Amino acid sequence: MTKRRRRELTGTLEVDGFPLRWSLKSEQVWDAGGDHVGLRLSVERSDQKKRELVLEYPFREMPGGKTERPDIDTARLEVDIRTAIEMGWKPNSRGRPFILMCD
């Protein structure tokens, strides 16, 4: 079985005055327990190392049981980052990553 090549997805944006960079943390995959893990993106401040935000998007299955590789929509990404801020992610704080399950 051939291994899928990892995509190099990164970008920058500014949300509420915070300069941010985002990158692909992991593609959606089936885990060893038979469950699924959705596409995950890492978001951090681009000017200093602070608390990471992890956005996890739902797993999507294609016909035939294959997994798709969803594209990143930067407009939706900006909305999801604002949602994370409203839910308690503070880009200036330190600590463990803040994980937001998106729908």
Side-chain angles (χ1 to χ4, degrees):
M1 185 165 132
T2 60
K3 190 173 182 180
R4 275 206 255 189
R5 188 176 180 170
R6 182 180 167 135
R7 295 188 289 177
E8 293 295 323
L9 295 175
T10 61
T12 59
L13 63 138
E14 187 170 316
V15 176
D16 296 341
F18 296 108
L20 303 170
R21 86 175 150 263
W22 61 270
S23 61
L24 178 68
K25 191 166 184 79
S26 67
E27 294 280 1
Q28 61 178 26
V29 295
W30 292 100
D31 72 7
D35 292 327
H36 60 273
V37 176
L39 177 84
R40 296 184 321 149
L41 299 176
S42 172
V43 179
E44 295 178 311
R45 295 218 22 196
S46 61
D47 58 345
Q48 52 188 311
K49 183 73 171 160
K50 293 289 182 178
R51 191 171 185 191
E52 176 186 23
L53 167 63
V54 177
L55 298 172
E56 185 171 329
Y57 294 93
F59 186 87
R60 294 200 175 100
E61 191 172 341
M62 291 175 50
K66 295 183 179 184
T67 58
E68 68 174 316
R69 297 174 89 177
D71 292 324
I72 309 304
D73 177 11
T74 53
R76 177 166 181 204
L77 182 61
E78 190 171 330
V79 169
D80 292 338
I81 291 170
R82 282 200 170 91
T83 300
I85 291 171
E86 290 171 8
M87 293 185 73
W89 177 58
K90 296 178 180 69
N92 286 330
S93 68
R94 292 177 131 4
R96 291 183 286 187
F98 186 92
I99 299 172
L100 178 65
M101 301 295 281
C102 304
D103 52 353

